[in-house]
Amino acid sequence: WNHREVAAAVQDFISISELAESAALAAHAEPDNLTIQEEIMIGKARDAYLALRPLPCSSCRGCMPCPEEIDVPRIFERYNDVFMYGDLETARLLYINEGHRADFCTECGACEKTCAKRLPVIEWLKKARRLFAGPAIPAYPRKRFSAADARRARSPQAK
């Protein structure tokens, strides 16, 4: 809200009430309305959040599409989740349930050529593969998920 140059923000809503609440806030928001203390607090929170993530991928999806249909940014999100939340088992189960297979990487390098941050994507995929490997990961066939699948999974009716 605090930047004049920002004309739009993309948000994800689960309910109409969340959308209404956000719209009401936006209707009254003015640029440059945060105090210096608030800006410092937001900056410290951002820095603390980023410090928990060992892998500095921003999920921009510049590395996509992968010729092997590996969802590199999502695997990297799962990898970071392990360290941010200290919960390997949940991240591993999500990795499995979402059908990720870092081991399908052929090391073609297409992802590294297009990564905006010039991350060593192949090496990070190897780390993710080692982290998520183990007896809990059966060799499931790949399942492709669409945006509609993701919306259904987030909807209150799916729970």
Side-chain angles (χ1 to χ4, degrees), residues 17-29:
S17 63
E18 284 184 10
L19 173 62
E21 180 182 349
S22 187
L25 287 170
H28 299 294

Side-chain angles (χ1 to χ4, degrees), residues 30-116:
E30 294 292 329
D32 301 320
N33 65 347
L34 295 178
T35 66
I36 291 174
Q37 291 84 5
E38 289 169 329
E39 289 189 30
I40 290 171
M41 181 182 66
I42 291 169
K44 286 181 178 180
R46 181 196 61 240
D47 293 345
Y49 170 79
L50 293 174
L52 293 172
R53 299 170 56 228
L55 204 168
C57 174
S58 63
S59 297
C60 72
R61 303 192 72 76
C63 58
M64 300 298 289
C66 168
E68 300 303 320
E69 298 182 2
I70 297 169
D71 190 345
V72 174
R74 189 68 173 155
I75 291 173
F76 288 175
E77 286 174 16
R78 292 284 154 245
Y79 184 89
N80 278 333
D81 286 351
V82 171
F83 299 94
M84 291 181 68
Y85 303 112
D87 186 357
L88 173 60
E89 286 312 306
T90 299
R92 181 180 279 156
L93 287 172
L94 290 168
Y95 175 91
I96 294 167
N97 290 338
E98 291 175 356
H100 298 299
R101 295 297 305 265
D103 56 317
F104 286 178
C105 178
T106 61
E107 300 185 27
C108 71
C111 51
E112 291 187 349
K113 291 175 189 146
T114 57
C115 176

